[in-house]
């Protein structure tokens, strides 16, 4: 159950990051007032996802040692890299992919401890 909560916290955090990206992309090139920016559905989705992710993270910390849980949040780097590459079409170089695979290996090792 703890690992499922940890995965949910990661996914909610990543959803919040992606929604933030969509929010600022929708503002790019437009001279919008702050009141129009604050009404962005992407901004509200980001706030909801990040807030919910925080609450789930608190549940994770009740169940797992922080020394195990926190490093596993590095899965966010993997997920966001995949989204950056395949959704936003951002370039990802070989060195970055190597880092992603190292993170995956570290998370796998930590997952065996919990």
């Amino acid at each position: 159950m703890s690992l499922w909560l940890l995965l949910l916290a990661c996914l909610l955090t990543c959803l919040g990051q992606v929604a933030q990206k969509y929010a600022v992309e929708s503002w790019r090139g437009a001279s919008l007032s702050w009141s129009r920016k604050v009404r962005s559905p992407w901004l509200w989705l980001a706030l909801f996802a990040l807030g919910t992710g925080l609450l789930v993270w608190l549940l994770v910390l009740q169940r797992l040692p922080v020394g195990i849980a926190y490093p596993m949040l590095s899965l966010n780097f993997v997920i966001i890299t995949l989204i950056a590459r395949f959704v936003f079409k951002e370039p990802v170089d070989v060195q970055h992919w190597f880092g992603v695979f190292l993170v995956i290996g570290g998370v796998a090792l930590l997952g065996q401890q919990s």
Side-chain angles (χ1 to χ4, degrees), residues 12-27 40-50 80 88:
L12 286 166
T13 303
C14 289
L15 174 61
Q17 297 294 324
V18 170
Q20 286 179 51
K21 173 75 170 171
Y22 275 118
V24 298
E25 288 294 323
S26 71
W27 302 339
S40 166
W42 289 112
L43 179 61
W44 286 101
L45 176 60
L47 291 171
F48 175 78
L50 291 169
I80 291 298
F88 294 111

Side-chain angles (χ1 to χ4, degrees), residues 18 21-22 77-93 96-97 100-101 104:
V18 170
K21 173 75 170 171
Y22 275 118
F77 293 113
V78 175
I79 296 166
I80 291 298
T81 297
L82 293 171
I83 291 169
R85 174 66 185 96
F86 296 109
V87 175
F88 294 111
K89 308 295 187 219
E90 296 176 0
V92 179
D93 63 16
H96 192 113
W97 284 120
V100 165
F101 288 114
I104 291 170

Side-chain angles (χ1 to χ4, degrees), residues 33-60:
S33 66
W34 276 105
S35 65
R36 294 250 344 247
K37 290 178 180 178
V38 168
R39 288 182 284 177
S40 166
W42 289 112
L43 179 61
W44 286 101
L45 176 60
L47 291 171
F48 175 78
L50 291 169
T52 306
L54 170 66
L55 295 176
V56 173
W57 176 245
L58 294 175
L59 292 174
V60 169

Side-chain angles (χ1 to χ4, degrees), residues 62-80:
Q62 288 179 339
R63 292 167 170 77
L64 289 175
V66 73
I68 299 294
Y70 191 75
M72 292 184 84
L73 279 182
S74 60
L75 277 177
N76 290 359
F77 293 113
V78 175
I79 296 166
I80 291 298

